[in-house]
Amino acid sequence: MLKSVEKEIENIAAADIPWDELKGSTVLVTGASGFIGTYIVCALLKRNISVLALVQSKSYAEQKFAHYLGDNLKIIEHDVCDKFESDLAADYVIHCASYAAPREYSLYPVETMKINVCGTLNMLDYAKRVGVKCFVYVSTIEIYGKTVGIDQIDENTYGEIDALHPRSCYPLSKKASETLCIAYAEEYGLDVKIARLSYIFGPGMSVNDSKVVSVFPQCIADNKDIVLKSRGEQLRSYTYVSDAIKGILTVLTKGENKNAYNIASSLCVTSIVGIAETLVELYMDKHLKVKFDLPNEQEKRAFSLIENAVMRAKKLESLGWHPTVDLKEGLKRTVEEKEELKKVKLC
């Protein structure tokens, strides 16, 4: 595991979270080898908390968690679209499994919806069967849709989502999955909490991640100009990865049943073009530029339909969570990880 990623894991494990409440427990994490899931798994293991890690590829996960393999970690290869009938009991479930890249939403809208809806249904059935203490569903800013005339989005804000647009496969299926969670809480008494993530960035993103927060830092690491496929002027909430993981764990340990919590940093509100310009400014010595290029039709299909999307995280902050890493520092650490990865590949 890269040093830059390990540093963030240690930061999370040292955070002021009521870890003692999880002591002696087992936490099942789906999407465990993904960007978010990896951090959650490793932070829990750092605190000697047992983890059941559900992954698509066991061999890939064993490589990723090589430094963490031991009695506290059990890796289970399982497709969440299939029923999870394991006898292994968990005390908590953190459900992260989902496609997480715009390219996937545009190319595989049916699979995107199946993973979100069927996957959530199967994991809720498992949670009900084994009697977990709490089920945390990791959701997204995109469930809010298009909001007009609203400066900041809180948990009670809802905009429009066009059900006839294929790109809506992601926000609508995530929104339906939230309702599934609440339905299980109402009908079966399951304790459920929802963590609505803003746009997350930082070390550990996939090299194939098509989001700008991964692509633009890679351009800097490769000494290439940053090319935008739109004007990119809409304001968005971004959150540095270690702050986001602390937010999810805060929701797990302090959140209230049948409640949703925005996880969004007030230190990282910017636009897509703002990210590009900030990176170019941070690495001025590279003499790189921000350029614009009109997208083709396939690229347009991957674009989020959301316009301005600034989230308010007052509800989460009332539980004691606060962001610590601002935009410039977060982008700098992201570029450093991309450069570290290049050096590792050359060795």
Side-chain angles (χ1 to χ4, degrees):
M1 189 167 287
L2 295 177
K3 291 180 180 179
S4 51
V5 175
E6 187 64 36
K7 181 179 178 181
E8 299 302 336
I9 292 167
E10 292 174 356
N11 180 287
I12 297 162
D16 185 19
I17 290 166
W19 298 104
D20 285 347
E21 291 187 18
L22 303 176
K23 191 174 182 180
S25 298
T26 298
V27 182
L28 185 150
V29 182
T30 71
S33 58
F35 179 39
I36 299 298
T38 295
Y39 275 102
I40 293 172
V41 168
C42 294
L44 291 171
L45 292 172
K46 280 277 186 184
R47 301 294 308 204
N48 294 315
I49 297 163
S50 296
V51 175
L52 300 177
L54 261 63
V55 299
Q56 284 191 310
S57 170
K58 187 173 183 179
S59 59
Y60 173 76
E62 286 175 340
Q63 290 179 4
K64 195 161 197 179
F65 298 122
H67 297 300
Y68 289 85
L69 295 176
D71 294 340
N72 280 349
L73 174 62
K74 185 171 185 61
I75 298 173
I76 305 165
E77 188 172 274
H78 180 76
D79 185 341
V80 293
C81 290
D82 299 327
K83 285 188 175 296
F84 186 57
E85 298 176 335
S86 172
D87 292 330
L88 294 169
D91 301 289
Y92 300 89
V93 171
I94 303 177
H95 181 37
C96 305
S98 174
Y99 279 156
R103 186 183 295 122
E104 293 169 333
Y105 314 152
S106 65
L107 294 176
Y108 310 110
V110 174
E111 290 79 2
T112 296
M113 297 193 77
K114 284 177 68 176
I115 290 171
N116 287 341
V117 178
C118 298
T120 302
L121 181 63
N122 288 329
M123 296 317 302
L124 284 166
D125 277 339
Y126 164 80
K128 177 171 74 76
R129 178 167 59 83
V130 302
V132 302
K133 296 177 183 177
C134 175
F135 183 102
V136 173
Y137 180 61
V138 179
S139 190
T140 171
I141 185 175
E142 292 208 20
I143 65 102
Y144 290 113
K146 281 187 179 180
T147 56
V148 180
I150 298 173
D151 292 332
Q152 288 192 325
I153 298 167
D154 64 22
E155 289 81 359
N156 298 312
T157 303
Y158 295 101
E160 300 175 357
I161 303 177
D162 181 1
L164 300 184
H165 196 296
R167 177 59 175 78
S168 297
C169 63
Y170 181 66
L172 282 178
S173 56
K174 294 293 279 189
K175 194 169 186 175
S177 296
E178 287 194 12
T179 306
L180 264 176
C181 291
I182 299 302
Y184 269 68
E186 283 291 315
E187 190 167 341
Y188 303 119
L190 192 64
D191 188 300
V192 300
K193 301 162 187 177
I194 296 164
R196 290 177 181 158
L197 296 180
S198 61
Y199 299 99
I200 311 303
F201 72 103
M205 290 180 285
S206 168
V207 293
N208 298 317
D209 197 319
S210 58
K211 293 190 287 294
V212 297
V213 284
S214 179
V215 174
F216 291 177
Q218 188 66 59
C219 289
I220 298 296
D222 292 339
N223 296 310
K224 294 180 179 178
D225 292 332
I226 297 176
V227 180
L228 274 70
K229 289 292 185 176
S230 70
R231 300 307 301 177
E233 295 173 340
Q234 301 96 327
L235 281 178
R236 302 279 175 85
S237 283
Y238 294 88
T239 306
Y240 188 66
V241 63
S242 57
D243 284 334
I245 304 306
K246 293 174 194 175
I248 293 170
L249 294 171
T250 298
V251 171
L252 174 71
T253 54
K254 296 184 179 181
E256 293 185 14
N257 184 25
K258 295 188 284 189
N259 270 251
Y261 296 85
N262 286 345
I263 299 179
S265 172
S266 57
L267 306 177
C268 301
V269 175
T270 187
S271 61
I272 291 174
V273 71
I275 292 173
E277 290 174 344
T278 301
L279 283 164
V280 168
E281 179 185 333
L282 281 170
Y283 295 88
M284 199 177 299
D285 58 316
K286 290 177 177 277
H287 305 292
L288 300 176
K289 297 178 181 178
V290 177
K291 297 180 178 179
F292 296 86
D293 183 32
L294 291 177
N296 60 40
E297 289 305 311
Q298 183 60 49
E299 289 168 331
K300 286 181 181 178
R301 289 170 63 87
F303 290 177
S304 170
L305 304 179
I306 294 175
E307 296 177 359
N308 287 344
V310 179
M311 298 169 80
R312 178 184 293 140
K314 296 296 183 185
K315 190 173 177 182
L316 182 61
E317 289 173 357
S318 72
L319 301 181
W321 175 88
H322 296 283
T324 59
V325 181
D326 65 20
L327 182 67
K328 287 185 177 181
E329 179 61 25
L331 289 174
K332 184 179 177 183
R333 293 186 194 180
T334 305
V335 172
E336 288 172 351
E337 185 255 356
K338 302 282 189 186
E339 292 174 337
E340 181 186 357
L341 185 59
K342 285 179 66 176
K343 290 178 181 177
V344 170
K345 287 181 177 179
L346 289 172
C347 293

